[in-house]
Amino acid sequence: MPMGRKRKKSGPLRNTAEALRQKRGAVATIYVILRVAVIVTMVAQFFNGNFENVFLCALTLVLFLVPTFIERQIRVDLPDTLEVIILLFIFAAEILGEIQEYYITFPHWDTMLHTFNGFLCAAIGFALVDILDRSERFSIQLSPLFLALVAFCFSMTIGVLWEFFECLMDLLLHVDMQKDTIVHTVSSVMLDPTGGNTPTAIRDITNVIVVTADGSQYPLGLGGYLDIGILDTMEDLFVNFIGAILFSVIGYFFVKSRGQGRFARRFIPRVLSETEMEESGGADA
């Protein structure tokens, strides 16, 4: 450090503006662009009277602060690539997916996001265990295979918990987070005419008629049977599985080479030392 230059005190930053100034150029630019886009969307939704979407915009702005909060409170460094993907993921899920209805416009939009979620959660799970493994407070040395396995299990657990949340919201608030699927064949033991345990199939379904308690009939006209979200859930978990497997393999070879892989390093957070925290606090003074 040059002589005569005062070093700022280390410690978590107190406000978003100061934290933003310490972000690297590309991350800060993307952060500002996305934040402005969300604010513009929020204003438009307010004047349109879509107050639920206004809440989603406010939630998005709060979620944008999470990476900075993690960096400053837990004292970890999120690689630029990981941070940008997290910001874009939040924007794609809440603003594009929900408000702009990309989930309906683009059939595989939700699938893409769940794949990225599996990849990112595996990276986070891998980093948590790798940080512990590298700590001087612990004498154990975990194998690369074990680290990869933990990263995979962490990612799949997050994926399952999210599906639990979607199911709970559908049951309580009827928001249809677990999107339905049109199928043309149904097989169930409940259709067994003898009342037994033999699966009975109904094939070539072209229409379904809903009959309410008062006898009213409503032909759905969907061209098939309306699945209640199980296929969507299984697809989400499967692509989460693919994303988790992908990063677990990358993480395995990253540890095997003792951190020489440049690609994996772009996604794995690391703990900052006290010296690095002080330099980070004064670098942009």
Side-chain angles (χ1 to χ4, degrees), residues 9-165:
K9 295 181 179 180
S10 62
L13 298 179
R14 297 297 182 181
N15 54 69
T16 305
E18 186 177 355
L20 182 58
R21 284 195 296 268
Q22 293 191 12
K23 288 181 178 293
R24 291 162 288 275
V27 179
T29 300
I30 293 175
Y31 175 83
V32 170
I33 293 175
L34 293 180
R35 192 175 184 184
V36 170
V38 173
I39 293 175
V40 171
T41 303
M42 178 187 291
V43 173
Q45 295 300 316
F46 177 82
F47 284 108
N48 290 334
N50 299 323
F51 299 110
E52 181 179 347
N53 289 343
V54 172
F55 170 76
L56 284 177
C57 291
L59 176 63
T60 302
L61 293 176
V62 173
L63 293 176
F64 278 167
L65 300 177
V66 172
T68 298
F69 176 82
I70 293 176
E71 281 189 319
R72 302 307 164 187
Q73 296 296 330
I74 308 180
R75 298 189 176 189
V76 300
D77 174 47
L78 298 180
D80 287 2
T81 302
L82 176 62
E83 192 164 356
V84 168
I85 291 179
I86 291 175
L87 295 176
L88 293 176
F89 180 87
I90 296 171
F91 185 81
E94 300 298 334
I95 305 302
L96 298 181
E98 294 291 348
I99 298 178
Q100 300 299 326
E101 298 183 346
Y102 276 31
Y103 289 129
I104 299 175
T105 306
F106 301 99
H108 300 293
W109 188 260
D110 185 58
T111 301
M112 176 192 68
L113 293 181
H114 276 280
T115 306
F116 273 106
N117 179 73
F119 185 89
L120 294 177
C121 286
I124 294 173
F126 183 91
L128 292 175
V129 183
D130 188 49
I131 289 172
L132 178 65
D133 188 39
R134 294 172 182 266
S135 175
E136 297 179 354
R137 298 180 182 180
F138 299 90
S139 58
I140 59 175
Q141 293 296 321
L142 304 178
S143 68
L145 181 60
F146 181 82
L147 289 173
L149 179 62
V150 171
F152 170 78
C153 292
F154 179 84
S155 177
M156 292 304 300
T157 300
I158 297 299
V160 170
L161 291 177
W162 178 254
E163 294 302 322
F164 285 169
F165 172 76

